[in-house]
Amino acid sequence: MTLQTLTYVLEIAKRKSFSQTAKALFLSQSALSTAVKELEEELGIQLFVRSNRGVVLTTEGEDFIKYAKDIVDRSELLALRYQTHNAGQTMFSVSAQHLPFAVRAFQKLMDQMGKAEYTFAMKETSLSNVLYEVSTGKSQVGILAFPKEHLELLQKSFASYNLSFTEMAELTTYVFLRRKHPLAERDSLRIEELEDYPFVTYDSDSDTAYHTEEALILEPLRQTIHVSDRATKMLLLRSTDAFSIGADLPNYNRDIYFRSRNTELRAVPLQNAAGRILTGYLKQTGVLLPERAEQFLELLQKEVEQLHLPTGQKEF
């Protein structure tokens, strides 16, 4: 088994064709077939089933490529670290849920770096992917925010990934809606009062309920809109009577499009929230964080502290 053969298998699984994979890799189809056959004989399993419509993975093949992809990804990360960067460059990567305060801390870290050479990565993703990326070393830290009541269950997930979680703060839960929304002038809101309005939520790639991207929607609502990026979510909140729930949203009021008072957002405290939002960071258990990660976490702590404003309406 070689890294090259693993790459062949991943490409075949992606393209669902030996012939197309062979062309893409500049190989003969016979050479590709031989390589896969030798791997199957070595493993004692069948990876693919051929048909007139192409090839599909067997059950053993689907299991195999999960591990193969992890190995190939790690090798690419290793090559990226030592082959394409200067030794003097600073490298840092953080994975986070869709958390604007984490992005603001990342921006301030960039500002502090000035003209120094560095390679940084800020990955906004699902909770499940945050766990995976920190556990595999793709990111040094992961930033999460979730209902406090989910902590006990999540701790089991953290342990299974050999990760430790450090709490930073408990945050107030807000309903975000536009200034023209019929409920925008309320001092607080109950979830029952929102049942007639569309709820905008981030999609999650996990079937695990406590891995949800959203804060405290525990029962299904009549109207739900699933989105996968922040720009779509913001557009819907600012242009319709849809609402979202969380602890923070980016401040777009300084942007040209959002300077109009008609597009401002209001943050109204959620009165009957089942609990507060817990935020903090993940790292590999027993691994010391590099200097740049510590610097980022200091900036993040300041951003989190700024969310602790007096309870009441806020404008975004």
Side-chain angles (χ1 to χ4, degrees):
M1 184 188 308
T2 65
L3 186 62
Q4 187 177 57
T5 306
L6 297 183
T7 303
Y8 292 168
V9 172
L10 292 176
E11 284 295 319
I12 295 169
K14 180 174 70 174
R15 299 175 187 277
K16 297 180 173 58
S17 167
F18 272 77
S19 60
Q20 291 182 17
T21 301
K23 290 179 182 179
L25 299 177
F26 301 100
L27 294 170
S28 67
Q29 188 169 338
S30 61
L32 182 62
S33 297
T34 299
V36 173
K37 182 179 179 181
E38 290 177 351
L39 177 61
E40 289 177 326
E41 290 177 351
E42 178 184 348
L43 297 173
I45 62 173
Q46 183 179 356
L47 296 172
F48 299 100
V49 175
R50 301 186 189 224
S51 70
N52 293 333
R53 292 176 295 179
V55 296
V56 295
L57 287 163
T58 63
T59 301
E60 292 89 349
E62 290 179 351
D63 183 66
F64 176 81
I65 63 169
K66 294 177 184 178
Y67 295 97
K69 187 176 187 306
D70 184 53
I71 293 171
V72 172
D73 286 347
R74 285 173 179 265
S75 69
E76 291 175 352
L77 183 64
L78 188 64
L80 181 67
R81 182 177 184 88
Y82 293 107
Q83 295 177 6
T84 63
H85 294 85
N86 295 327
Q89 283 188 327
T90 297
M91 299 184 67
F92 172 65
S93 176
V94 56
S95 295
Q97 291 172 285
H98 298 79
L99 303 172
F101 59 86
V103 177
R104 292 196 293 270
F106 186 80
Q107 291 173 330
K108 291 182 178 178
L109 177 63
M110 291 173 56
D111 292 340
Q112 291 187 1
M113 292 298 293
K115 295 183 178 180
E117 293 187 16
Y118 61 83
T119 298
F120 285 172
M122 176 71 203
K123 308 173 189 178
E124 285 191 296
T125 184
S126 66
L127 189 150
S128 298
N129 280 337
V130 173
L131 299 182
Y132 172 76
E133 290 175 355
V134 178
S135 67
T136 57
K138 292 183 177 181
S139 289
Q140 284 80 50
V141 294
I143 313 303
L144 304 177
F146 50 85
K148 187 176 181 180
E149 64 190 44
H150 290 175
L151 178 60
E152 184 175 352
L153 288 171
L154 285 172
Q155 288 285 17
K156 297 178 181 179
S157 293
F158 301 157
S160 68
Y161 281 92
N162 196 32
L163 300 174
S164 60
F165 175 74
T166 300
E167 177 182 340
M168 300 184 79
E170 290 184 27
L171 304 175
T172 302
T173 306
Y174 291 96
V175 178
F176 295 101
L177 30 74
R178 64 173 178 166
R179 183 172 175 268
K180 281 191 166 185
H181 195 285
L183 303 177
E185 300 302 323
R186 299 290 297 275
D187 292 330
S188 64
L189 287 168
R190 292 177 289 106
I191 196 66
E192 293 81 8
E193 298 175 283
L194 298 165
E195 291 179 350
D196 292 331
Y197 302 97
F199 170 52
V200 183
T201 176
Y202 283 118
D203 271 329
S204 175
D205 61 357
S206 173
D207 293 330
T208 306
Y210 53 88
H211 280 192
T212 178
E213 288 285 297
E214 296 301 334
L216 294 154
I217 294 295
L218 301 180
E219 63 274 1
L221 295 178
R222 291 178 55 250
Q223 300 176 332
T224 302
I225 302 171
H226 295 273
V227 299
S228 58
D229 66 88
R230 180 182 294 145
T232 302
K233 181 175 183 178
M234 296 298 296
L235 180 61
L236 290 173
L237 292 182
R238 293 184 185 276
S239 59
T240 73
D241 283 340
F243 71 94
S244 180
I245 287 179
D248 184 24
L249 276 182
N251 186 344
Y252 284 118
N253 289 340
R254 290 169 293 183
D255 294 351
I256 294 175
Y257 177 75
F258 295 126
R259 283 179 182 170
S260 169
R261 294 279 295 177
N262 293 333
T263 57
E264 286 182 359
L265 293 181
R266 292 289 177 86
V268 182
L270 183 60
Q271 189 178 60
N272 60 337
R276 293 171 69 85
I277 298 175
L278 193 65
T279 188
Y281 66 91
L282 289 170
K283 72 178 189 68
Q284 292 183 0
T285 302
V287 175
L288 293 177
L289 290 175
E291 178 184 355
R292 209 58 58 202
E294 294 285 3
Q295 183 179 355
F296 168 77
L297 291 175
E298 290 179 8
L299 295 170
L300 181 68
Q301 184 65 55
K302 293 178 181 178
E303 292 296 326
V304 169
E305 290 171 357
Q306 290 185 19
L307 296 177
H308 286 285
L309 299 176
T311 301
Q313 281 207 2
K314 298 178 176 62
E315 291 190 354
F316 288 78

